[in-house]
Amino acid sequence: MNVILAAMTMSADNGLARTPPMGWSTWNAFGRRFTEEVFYNATDALVSNGMRDAGYEYINVDGGWWNGSDTGVITRNESGFTTYNRQKYPHGIKNVIDYIHSKGMKYGHYTDAGTAACNHDAPMSEYYEHQDVALFVSWNIDYIKIDACSTQEDPDVLMNRWHTLLNESGRPILLSNCHNGCMTHLGPLQPWCQQYTNMWRVSVDIKSTWASMISNIGNLVGRGIYGKPGSWNDPDILEMGLGEFEYKGRESLPINQAHFSLWCVTSSPLLASVDFTKPVDPALVSVFTNKEAIAVNQQYLSNAGDRIDFGSQSGGNYSIWYKPLPDSTAAVVLLNEGTVSTVSLQIDFDKLPVLHASSSSACQVRDIWSGTTDVVHGVYKAPSIPAQSCIFVTISKCSSQEE
């Protein structure tokens, strides 16, 4: 359990993302196959099902919004300005954005820092940053995800340019860095990642499988020291409700709860991508809107959260994740990463520095998903944890037996 739990001091200077961003994105559910109705449906759904009030404030588009999508050629005029795809936005992209704003929410846009998009549409934003920032600001965007396909310049040069132009625009716009030089496999995080961007991808694109989710969250091991108000690690958009996480009844809750718990305990951005053109079961929505889980995600003390234990049991892997919280409180996820057998896990209170506890301390343990609270002495021994499931607890109010 040798994880450094120290805070970094640098963060983006635009005053945004003081807590991990929350919202909804088109990408995992729709890819580039969407129309404006998708945004109206998602906006209305987040208002009516309580997700907006729970903190999900951004409605984000991803790739494919531009004129010329999937043709290989992005149309730009003689001044270098592009525009939106009129087949996807028959009533105009500004109408969509205005509608999102009218519901008390914010709009997130997308571009690529390179000369071509990931599907090879070109020319993308590299060398057109001034035009694209001016255009996006005129649309009143609130968030920009910047991808990294076909980049010609160094990532720090590109992100500094975007950071500067966005700040000079006079409009508060959150900068989400997708793959531009801050991924875990590149080694220790470069200071410019925090200085120029509000969140940065640490991993490859997530897929709607358990194995992909576990791989992506694994890219956060040792990275909790980097996340802090204004700048956050990003293991990608939530896959809850999709693929192997598709909700098929109560038996589908544990795998979705595990996915959400890991994103919460690591202060990861909470961006859903559920298809709201179809009915979404209230039980799945209740995972997205769990107040105690979200509170863990949104609070910050000294570290964004990290893995503190890992091993094998019953033929599968397990891991334990820890995030220190204010008021001498610890959030802990005990995860069965395996796909077959159950595991039995425990956590010693004196191994969680924020508790200031001893091996005999009595602490209050709150199980977030069951909603139960118990007083436990010294060691929390979790109930048997089924495959692809977790126990998510907060531990607080510790006292010695002498007290």
Side-chain angles (χ1 to χ4, degrees):
M1 298 188 181
N2 296 319
V3 172
I4 299 172
L5 297 175
M8 303 294 285
T9 58
M10 188 177 294
S11 62
D13 59 3
N14 58 11
L16 302 174
R18 306 310 298 172
T19 58
M22 298 173 63
W24 179 89
S25 169
T26 55
W27 185 251
N28 290 357
F30 298 99
R32 291 185 295 275
R33 303 176 303 278
F34 63 84
T35 67
E36 63 185 30
E37 289 303 316
V38 164
F39 300 97
Y40 294 122
N41 289 334
T43 302
D44 291 344
L46 266 63
V47 172
S48 63
N49 68 17
M51 289 180 67
R52 180 196 63 179
D53 292 343
Y56 294 84
E57 62 176 337
Y58 291 100
I59 299 290
N60 297 351
V61 72
D62 211 282
W65 58 266
W66 48 84
N67 190 24
S69 175
D70 293 311
T71 70
V73 179
I74 297 174
T75 304
R76 289 185 180 270
N77 66 21
E78 60 184 15
S79 299
F81 286 90
T82 187
T83 190
Y84 58 86
N85 187 307
R86 297 184 185 277
Q87 291 181 316
K88 294 180 178 181
Y89 300 94
H91 298 95
I93 195 169
K94 188 65 164 56
N95 281 352
V96 171
I97 297 170
D98 288 347
Y99 185 79
I100 292 168
H101 287 158
S102 76
K103 298 297 182 178
M105 304 182 76
K106 298 176 181 179
Y107 171 74
H109 202 57
Y110 170 93
T111 192
D112 193 290
T115 55
C118 298
N119 66 340
H120 308 298
D121 288 346
M124 209 61 196
S125 284
E126 195 164 11
Y127 312 121
Y128 291 97
E129 291 92 348
H130 287 81
Q131 292 94 327
D132 288 352
V133 168
L135 178 65
F136 302 159
V137 169
S138 76
W139 289 344
N140 291 333
I141 73 166
D142 306 292
Y143 173 122
I144 184 73
K145 175 181 175 180
I146 305 176
D147 220 325
C149 295
S150 303
T151 54
Q152 306 303 304
E153 300 167 274
D154 289 341
D156 59 325
V157 173
L158 290 166
M159 291 300 97
N160 184 25
R161 185 180 302 148
W162 276 98
H163 167 82
T164 300
L165 290 172
L166 291 171
N167 281 1
E168 289 176 350
S169 76
R171 182 170 181 81
I173 299 174
L174 186 154
L175 199 167
S176 171
N177 171 8
C178 182
H179 296 147
N180 286 283
C182 303
M183 295 173 70
T184 297
H185 77 271
L186 298 175
L189 192 75
Q190 297 300 306
W192 63 261
C193 297
Q194 296 170 307
Q195 183 179 358
Y196 301 151
T197 72
N198 296 112
M199 51 192 274
W200 53 85
R201 282 283 297 282
V202 298
S203 60
V204 299
D205 287 358
I206 196 171
K207 297 179 176 62
S208 55
T209 67
W210 177 258
S212 176
M213 186 275 288
I214 292 297
S215 175
N216 274 36
I217 200 68
N219 279 274
L220 290 183
V221 174
R223 312 292 278 195
I225 57 173
Y226 300 129
K228 64 168 301 181
S231 50
W232 304 102
N233 297 301
D234 177 18
D236 207 0
I237 301 164
L238 292 160
E239 290 282 6
M240 293 163 60
L242 303 171
E244 291 183 10
F245 301 91
E246 180 182 356
Y247 187 81
K248 299 177 181 178
R250 301 293 295 183
E251 69 275 10
S252 302
L253 277 179
I255 191 172
N256 282 284
Q257 290 171 340
H259 187 355
F260 196 65
S261 299
L262 289 167
W263 263 238
C264 286
V265 80
T266 54
S267 306
S268 298
L270 300 179
L271 297 175
S273 190
V274 181
D275 181 357
F276 284 116
T277 66
K278 305 173 183 177
V280 176
D281 195 286
L284 180 61
V285 174
S286 74
V287 179
F288 282 114
T289 56
N290 185 285
K291 292 182 180 180
E292 293 178 63
I294 291 172
V296 169
N297 175 264
Q298 297 285 288
Q299 294 180 80
Y300 179 83
L301 180 64
S302 59
N303 186 282
D306 218 316
R307 193 178 73 183
I308 60 171
D309 198 10
F310 177 80
S312 297
Q313 189 182 121
S314 303
N317 292 335
Y318 70 84
S319 56
I320 298 177
W321 299 75
Y322 159 60
K323 179 181 178 180
L325 299 175
D327 300 320
S328 299
T329 298
V332 176
V333 171
L334 303 102
L335 176 71
N336 184 350
E337 297 185 9
T339 59
V340 179
S341 303
T342 61
V343 298
S344 298
L345 301 177
Q346 65 182 47
I347 186 72
D348 298 334
F349 296 155
D350 60 3
K351 300 295 177 60
L352 305 176
V354 74
L355 297 180
H356 307 291
S358 70
S359 59
S360 61
S361 292
C363 300
Q364 181 174 290
V365 178
R366 173 72 173 178
D367 187 318
I368 287 176
W369 296 120
S370 72
T372 59
T373 304
D374 296 292
V375 174
V376 178
H377 294 268
V379 180
Y380 172 67
K381 297 181 180 180
S384 181
I385 305 173
Q388 299 181 322
S389 301
C390 78
I391 301 292
F392 188 11
V393 297
T394 54
I395 305 168
S396 62
K397 300 180 180 177
C398 296
S399 61
S400 66
Q401 288 186 319
E402 288 77 14
E403 294 176 331

